[in-house]
């Protein structure tokens, strides 16, 4: 029998005792996440309440994800400094197995706790934006919201975290069981990695393809659960045959240093690989952009000049947000401001045609394949009063919000083509201003 | 009485160093045993082995008749603390007490809180803010409140001032009277513990030198003072622990039962006979003859 009943009870108590100690740190995590939430929500509210701040607002989760990863690495380090971490609880009754299981479970619970903050933050951000949209008109969400996706993405996130934790736990168990061989193997692997980093970067994703490129959500969870079980059971079995209180020695420090070096090298690489893994179904991002460029809306307004005598002149009056610029100056991609440019002079002289054509190129702000101006109403008017041509341009419904979604989850075909992922296709955005061109049509 | 602790040829090696060498001891139920020895004699190693916190190299160690390591039925009934238990440093004392209450079935939280108040410790204080003496008090009261069948205290009074030490001893004795159980207390200060102990376990260089009831220890040796010739004549067939011969001071300590016959025979030679205090006996039994080296220092 693996453990007797008293050991299970002891494990439960140890988890509770560890939680009492963890609460000290989780309190700070809670505080940091609260500050992030206040900062993010505050900036959203300020953006909405302040005019002229721009069309687009991205509610970023980068900081909270970074905090999560930092805490996660903390848990990974705990599995490496297993002995010194357990010293804090050594005064309490425990066995090798109850100690290991309690450490394993409390680390997993800690990650669930911290990850749940991420989920709560997401809902808080989304909820705040939704709430604001009740009071303020013209707020649009560029990316679709799917509760199923958010929940599924959360579990995908957790699955990857648990898998990595299980891997590190197994590695830690191996190191404790076969210290010298493990360090030797580690040194060899490290040297191979340093010498052939590019090859390793190619090989690892291929080796992990069965899980990181699995397009079916259900299969992913099954595979993740299976792999996690194998890794964890292996770690438990190895630990079961390891004498925890084997003669204390001072070599701990160099092990810690070695494992920390390992963490510094391996963890960022693995995370980088996971983040950069191409999705099962890829978008042709450039084709997407080209398509949008080709379909950017334009509008023409024709003004009858037949009543004007040939050779007469017209003054041009434009609204405040239209700037008259020299015709040879290319301002097409230079600013994201919602403004229009009149390509020409302030007045027209010696008019020879019957019809004046005012050609409007609509503004655009394409964020990862989405033209955010598609959500807004742009209005252009042009009319002639006497010898003055009035050109007016303004934008309504100019609040568009994007809330990033779980990046890991984009590998699943279930969520493809549902307007959930475009935020992550590419990090950049392109924009173009309203452009007004005036020409004479001679019949 | 039942044996709570029993070791047979217990050995522990750290590399080439022998921390314990073929140690065979027994400690009875409901006793207060003083584990006495010089620095590096193996006291902490022995306690850690008995607490299941260290593996053994050879021999056997039994607590409640079973091997302690990874044996939850044994470990649930013992507590082993020392003056600087490395709890999470930022934890408040009240939280640590809650952890004890959670982990030890017989932990008396109310008693612990009373002791906290008695020793003027505030539950809101963080463990890291305690001085060495305060940390010792806190760990002492935690161990005492566990009311475990076996309580092992490693240097429990380190850093405590003399007033607090006396209070601690008194509380330990009264609690022992109220709730009889087995204590093993490792300390250098045997003179202070003497009134408390029922047994003495003296170890030196990993070996048990004494493992007896304190009354037996008191009767196990005696000192004779007199002239050099009379002492030399008397000790010729005796088991001498230590001997000093100088113009001003001439004495010998004999490690044999102190009886009425001994007194009479010594007095016949004009010698003065006296009992050896347990603390002095422990010093004599573990001292190394380094007088020559001492002289070389200057």
């Amino acid at each position: 029998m693996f453990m007797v009943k008293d050991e299970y009870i002891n494990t439960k108590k140890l988890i509770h005792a560890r939680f009492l100690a963890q609460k000290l740190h989780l309190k700070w995590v809670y505080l940091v996440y609260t500050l992030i939430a206040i900062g993010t929500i505050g900036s959203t509210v300020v953006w909405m309440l302040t005019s002229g701040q721009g069309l687009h607002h991205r509610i970023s989760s980068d900081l909270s994800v970074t905090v999560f990863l930092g805490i996660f690495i903390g848990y990974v380090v705990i599995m490496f400094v297993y002995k010194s971490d357990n010293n804090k609880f050594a005064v309490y009754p425990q066995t090798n197995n109850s100690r290991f299981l309690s450490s394993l479970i409390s680390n997993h619970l800690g990650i669930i706790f911290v990850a749940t903050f991420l989920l709560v933050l997401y809902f808080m951000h989304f909820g705040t934006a939704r709430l604001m949209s009740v009071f303020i008109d013209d707020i649009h969400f560029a990316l679709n919201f799917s509760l199923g996706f958010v929940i599924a993405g959360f579990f995908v996130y957790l699955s990857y975290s648990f898998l990595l934790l299980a891997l590190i736990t197994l590695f830690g168990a191996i190191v404790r069981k076969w210290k010298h061989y493990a360090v030797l193997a580690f040194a060899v692997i490290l040297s191979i990695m340093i010498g052939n980093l590019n090859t390793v970067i190619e090989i690892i994703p291929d080796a992990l393809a069965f899980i990181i490129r699995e397009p079916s959500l259900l299969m992913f969870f099954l595979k993740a659960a299976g792999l996690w079980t194998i890794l964890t059971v292996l770690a438990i079995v190895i630990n079961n045959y390891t004498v925890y209180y084997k003669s204390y020695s001072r070599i701990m420090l160099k092990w810690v240093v070695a494992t920390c070096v390992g963490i510094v090298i391996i963890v960022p690489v693995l995370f980088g690989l996971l983040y950069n893994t191409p999705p099962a179904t890829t978008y042709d991002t450039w084709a997407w952009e080209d398509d949008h460029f080709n379909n950017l809306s334009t509008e023409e307004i024709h003004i009858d000049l037949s009543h004007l005598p040939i050779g007469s002149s017209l003054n041009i009056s434009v609204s405040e947000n239209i700037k008259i610029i020299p015709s040879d100056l290319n301002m097409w991609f230079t600013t994201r401001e919602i403004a229009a440019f009149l390509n020409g002079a302030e007045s027209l002289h010696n008019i020879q045609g019957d019809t004046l054509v005012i050609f409007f190129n609509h503004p655009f702000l394409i964020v990862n394949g989405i033209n955010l101006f598609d959500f807004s109403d742009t209005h252009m008017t042009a009319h002639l009063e006497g010898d003055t041509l009035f050109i007016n341009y303004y934008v309504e419904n100019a609040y568009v919000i994007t809330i990033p979604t779980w990046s890991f989850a984009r590998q699943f075909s279930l969520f493809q083509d549902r307007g959930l992922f475009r935020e992550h296709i590419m990090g950049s955005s392109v924009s173009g201003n309203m452009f007004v061109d005036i020409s004479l049509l001679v019949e | 009485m039942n044996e709570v602790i029993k070791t047979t040829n217990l050995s522990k090696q750290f590399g080439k160093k022998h921390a314990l060498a073929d140690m065979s001891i027994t400690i009875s139920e409901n006793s207060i045993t003083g584990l006495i020895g010089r620095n590096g004699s193996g006291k902490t190693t022995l306690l850690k082995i008995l607490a299941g916190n260290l593996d053994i190299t050879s021999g056997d160690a039994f607590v409640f008749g079973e091997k302690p390591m990874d044996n939850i039925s044994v470990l649930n009934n013992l507590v082993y603390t020392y003056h600087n238990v490395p709890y999470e440093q930022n934890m408040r004392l009240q939280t640590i007490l809650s952890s004890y209450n959670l982990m030890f079935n017989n932990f008396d939280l109310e008693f612990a809180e009373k002791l906290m108040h008695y020793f003027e410790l505030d539950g809101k204080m963080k463990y890291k803010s305690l001085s060495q003496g305060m940390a010792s008090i806190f760990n002492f009261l935690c161990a005492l409140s566990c009311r475990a069948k076996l309580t092992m205290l490693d240097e429990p009074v380190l850093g405590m001032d003399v007033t607090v030490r006396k209070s601690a001893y008194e509380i330990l004795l009264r609690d022992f009277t109220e709730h009889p159980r087995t204590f093993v207390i490792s300390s250098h200060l045997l003179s202070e513990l003497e009134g408390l102990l029922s047994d003495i376990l003296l170890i030196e260089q990993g070996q048990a030198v004494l493992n007896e009831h304190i009354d037996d220890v008191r009767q196990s040796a005696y000192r004779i003072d007199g002239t050099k010739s009379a002492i030399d004549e008397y000790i010729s067939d005796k088991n001498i622990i230590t001997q000093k011969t100088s113009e001003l001071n001439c004495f010998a300590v004999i490690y044999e039962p102190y009886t009425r016959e001994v007194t009479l025979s010594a007095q016949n030679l004009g010698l003065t006979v006296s009992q050896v205090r347990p603390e002095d006996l422990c010093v004599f039994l573990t001292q190394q003859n380094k007088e020559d080296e001492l002289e070389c220092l200057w």
Side-chain angles (χ1 to χ4, degrees):
Chain A
M1 203 165 158
F2 174 61
M3 291 202 311
V4 296
K5 187 185 172 188
D6 281 351
E7 277 182 285
Y8 286 110
I9 296 168
N10 181 250
T11 304
K12 195 176 156 189
K13 287 179 176 178
L14 273 173
I15 291 168
H16 197 160
R18 284 174 187 276
F19 182 70
L20 285 176
Q22 267 190 8
K23 265 203 319 192
L24 295 168
H25 306 296
L26 291 176
K27 187 174 68 181
W28 289 105
V29 174
Y30 177 74
L31 183 68
V32 168
Y33 272 125
T34 305
L35 289 176
I36 291 172
I38 291 170
T40 310
I41 292 168
S43 69
T44 305
V45 172
V46 168
W47 171 74
M48 287 179 177
L49 298 178
T50 313
S51 59
Q53 292 294 309
L55 170 77
H56 172 225
H57 182 65
R58 180 176 186 268
I59 298 179
S60 173
S61 60
D62 294 349
L63 190 57
S64 49
V65 170
T66 305
V67 171
F68 173 77
L69 290 179
I71 294 163
F72 179 79
I73 288 170
Y75 281 108
V76 167
V77 171
I78 284 174
M79 295 315 289
F80 273 107
V81 291
Y82 178 69
K83 278 201 167 183
S84 56
D85 180 59
N86 279 303
N87 273 345
K88 297 169 191 167
F89 310 97
V91 74
Y92 308 126
Q94 57 195 279
T95 64
N96 188 24
N97 286 327
S98 69
R99 179 187 306 117
F100 186 74
L101 268 186
S102 64
S103 172
L104 192 70
I105 294 170
S106 63
N107 287 350
H108 278 74
L109 288 176
I111 285 173
I112 290 174
F113 192 75
V114 178
T116 306
F117 275 136
L118 275 183
L119 187 64
V120 171
L121 268 185
Y122 183 88
F123 283 125
M124 280 174 71
H125 293 163
F126 187 80
T128 306
R130 275 281 185 230
L131 192 65
M132 292 297 289
S133 68
V134 172
F135 299 104
I136 300 173
D137 291 335
D138 309 330
I139 292 176
H140 300 275
F141 290 85
L143 296 170
N144 291 341
F145 175 77
S146 160
L147 185 64
F149 169 76
V150 173
I151 301 295
F154 170 73
F155 284 110
V156 170
Y157 217 88
L158 267 187
S159 301
Y160 275 123
S161 302
F162 283 179
L163 280 176
L164 204 52
L165 192 64
L167 185 69
I168 300 296
T169 305
L170 175 61
F171 185 67
I174 291 170
V175 168
R176 286 195 304 280
K177 176 69 180 171
W178 300 285
K179 285 179 188 168
H180 297 92
Y181 298 110
V183 165
L184 196 65
F186 177 72
V188 170
I189 292 167
L190 194 65
S191 59
I192 290 171
M193 283 185 70
I194 291 169
N196 308 276
L197 196 58
N198 289 337
T199 312
V200 172
I201 287 173
E202 286 173 14
I203 289 171
I204 292 178
D206 289 341
L208 300 174
F210 74 101
I211 193 150
I212 63 173
R213 289 181 189 154
E214 169 58 56
S216 162
L217 190 64
L218 179 64
M219 284 305 293
F220 169 82
F221 283 130
L222 288 174
K223 285 178 178 179
L227 187 58
W228 179 89
T229 306
I230 291 168
L231 294 172
T232 306
V233 168
L234 264 176
I236 291 170
V237 169
I238 291 171
N239 178 73
N240 188 43
Y241 291 100
T242 306
V243 179
Y244 179 77
Y245 286 116
K246 197 86 180 169
S247 303
Y248 176 78
S249 69
R250 291 277 176 195
I251 59 172
M252 193 69 190
L253 183 63
K254 70 182 178 189
W255 290 101
V256 171
V257 171
T259 47
C260 284
V261 170
I263 290 164
V264 168
I265 294 169
I266 292 170
V267 172
V269 170
L270 285 176
F271 268 84
L273 291 171
L274 291 169
Y275 262 116
N276 296 325
T277 306
T281 310
T282 55
Y283 287 100
D284 186 341
T285 55
W286 290 111
W288 181 285
E289 299 288 351
D290 287 346
D291 188 42
H292 266 72
F293 280 126
N294 294 332
N295 290 310
L296 286 172
S297 59
T298 57
E299 194 173 327
E300 288 178 15
I301 295 177
H302 290 229
I303 293 177
D304 181 22
L305 300 178
S306 57
H307 61 285
L308 289 177
I310 291 171
S312 58
S313 297
L314 280 178
N315 294 320
I316 299 173
S317 174
V318 295
S319 57
E320 279 183 2
N321 54 358
I322 296 181
K323 294 170 185 173
I324 297 172
I325 58 165
S327 59
D328 59 344
L329 191 64
N330 185 358
M331 296 283 284
W332 193 253
F333 293 115
T334 55
T335 176
R336 292 186 188 184
E337 289 177 7
I338 305 170
F341 295 91
L342 181 62
N343 186 15
E346 294 179 10
S347 60
L348 298 169
H349 303 285
N350 195 21
I351 294 170
Q352 300 292 324
D354 296 328
T355 307
L356 193 64
V357 181
I358 317 292
F359 184 81
F360 294 90
N361 286 293
H362 282 227
F364 63 90
L365 174 57
I366 300 174
V367 177
N368 299 330
I370 308 167
N371 184 6
L372 302 184
F373 273 95
D374 287 348
F375 295 97
S376 64
D377 299 325
T378 49
H379 299 276
M380 293 134 287
T381 60
H383 66 279
L384 197 62
E385 281 183 26
D387 61 350
T388 303
L389 175 65
F390 289 92
I391 300 174
N392 192 17
Y393 155 73
Y394 60 95
V395 178
E396 288 180 333
N397 299 347
Y399 298 105
V400 182
I401 292 172
T402 50
I403 302 179
T405 45
W406 311 103
S407 55
F408 281 126
R410 69 192 169 89
Q411 77 181 64
F412 304 107
S413 52
L414 179 67
F415 297 113
Q416 297 292 348
D417 303 318
R418 290 179 59 185
L420 299 165
F421 298 102
R422 287 176 294 182
E423 176 74 3
H424 294 288
I425 293 171
M426 54 184 287
S428 63
S429 62
V430 288
S431 63
N433 288 298
M434 174 75 175
F435 198 85
V436 184
D437 197 20
I438 302 171
S439 59
L440 279 167
L441 187 65
V442 182
E443 292 178 355
Chain B
M1 281 199 288
N2 293 332
E3 288 170 349
V4 171
I5 294 169
K6 181 180 173 67
T7 71
T8 313
N9 301 323
L10 178 63
S11 295
K12 177 65 193 173
Q13 261 181 272
F14 294 103
K16 290 179 180 176
K17 182 177 165 37
H18 289 264
L20 298 178
D22 282 332
M23 181 182 282
S24 298
I25 58 160
T26 55
I27 291 176
S28 304
E29 192 180 22
N30 297 338
S31 62
I32 302 177
T33 302
L35 179 58
I36 313 297
R38 299 169 59 209
N39 292 331
S41 58
K43 299 188 297 292
T44 300
T45 303
L46 176 63
L47 291 178
K48 281 187 172 177
I49 288 173
L50 296 174
N53 285 0
L54 203 60
D55 67 327
I56 57 179
T57 306
S58 64
D60 286 312
F62 297 99
V63 177
F64 304 120
E66 296 179 50
K67 292 183 177 177
M69 185 176 274
D70 292 332
N71 188 336
I72 199 68
S73 63
V74 171
L75 300 174
N76 270 337
N77 288 302
L78 69 83
V79 59
Y80 163 62
T81 67
Y82 36 100
H83 64 279
N84 59 348
V85 177
Y87 306 108
E88 177 69 54
Q89 293 292 303
N90 284 309
M91 277 179 96
R92 296 188 190 283
L93 303 187
Q94 191 60 48
T95 313
I96 297 174
L97 286 186
S98 301
S99 299
Y100 269 93
N101 193 34
L102 189 74
M103 297 304 302
F104 289 92
N105 295 334
N106 295 330
F107 190 81
D108 189 336
L109 186 60
E110 192 184 342
F111 180 61
E113 284 170 346
K114 281 180 186 171
L115 288 178
M116 290 271 288
H117 185 256
Y118 179 83
F119 286 113
E120 296 173 354
L121 288 173
D122 185 354
K124 290 177 183 171
M125 290 172 82
K126 288 185 177 179
Y127 185 69
K128 69 176 179 185
S129 70
L130 301 182
S131 65
Q132 188 177 331
M134 291 163 87
S136 291
I137 294 168
F138 180 69
N139 288 307
F140 169 78
L141 71 87
C142 285
L144 203 62
S145 305
C146 285
R147 299 265 162 80
K149 285 182 183 172
L150 172 61
T151 303
M152 296 190 285
L153 307 169
D154 193 355
E155 302 286 0
V157 295
L158 205 69
M160 291 185 198
D161 63 57
V162 63
T163 315
V164 174
R165 283 206 302 272
K166 283 187 175 175
S167 298
Y169 295 140
E170 190 181 337
I171 288 167
L172 190 148
L173 195 57
R174 289 183 65 166
D175 197 54
F176 173 77
T177 313
E178 293 289 329
H179 303 275
R181 54 199 194 270
T182 309
F183 283 91
V184 179
I185 305 168
S186 134
S187 180
H188 297 287
L189 304 169
L190 182 56
S191 56
E192 289 183 6
L193 280 176
E194 235 180 275
L196 193 73
L197 301 179
S198 60
D199 295 83
I200 286 181
L201 171 58
L202 176 68
I203 61 174
E204 172 64 7
Q205 294 186 338
Q207 291 185 314
V209 179
L210 266 179
N211 182 21
E212 293 176 25
H213 194 277
I214 194 153
D215 292 336
D216 296 337
V217 172
R218 287 195 183 103
Q219 298 297 321
S220 64
Y222 58 92
R223 171 178 166 146
I224 50 166
D225 289 80
T227 59
K228 183 178 181 304
S229 57
I231 288 175
D232 285 342
E233 185 185 340
Y234 183 79
I235 64 174
S236 59
D237 58 346
K238 299 287 189 294
N239 184 9
I240 309 301
I241 305 173
T242 189
Q243 180 183 2
K244 190 167 185 180
T245 315
S246 67
E247 289 178 7
L248 295 174
N249 192 9
C250 207
F251 73 91
V253 176
I254 295 148
Y255 191 40
E256 286 181 9
Y258 180 41
T259 59
R260 183 171 167 76
E261 290 73 30
V262 163
T263 309
L264 290 172
S265 61
Q267 283 174 345
N268 288 339
L269 292 171
L271 295 167
T272 309
V273 187
S274 58
Q275 200 174 37
V276 179
R277 289 171 56 225
E279 185 183 22
D280 294 334
L281 178 64
C282 290
V283 171
F284 293 141
L285 284 172
T286 58
Q287 74 182 358
Q288 291 174 331
N289 192 1
K290 290 195 171 183
E291 286 193 8
D292 291 341
E293 282 183 44
L294 193 69
E295 289 301 321
C296 290
L297 291 176
W298 294 277

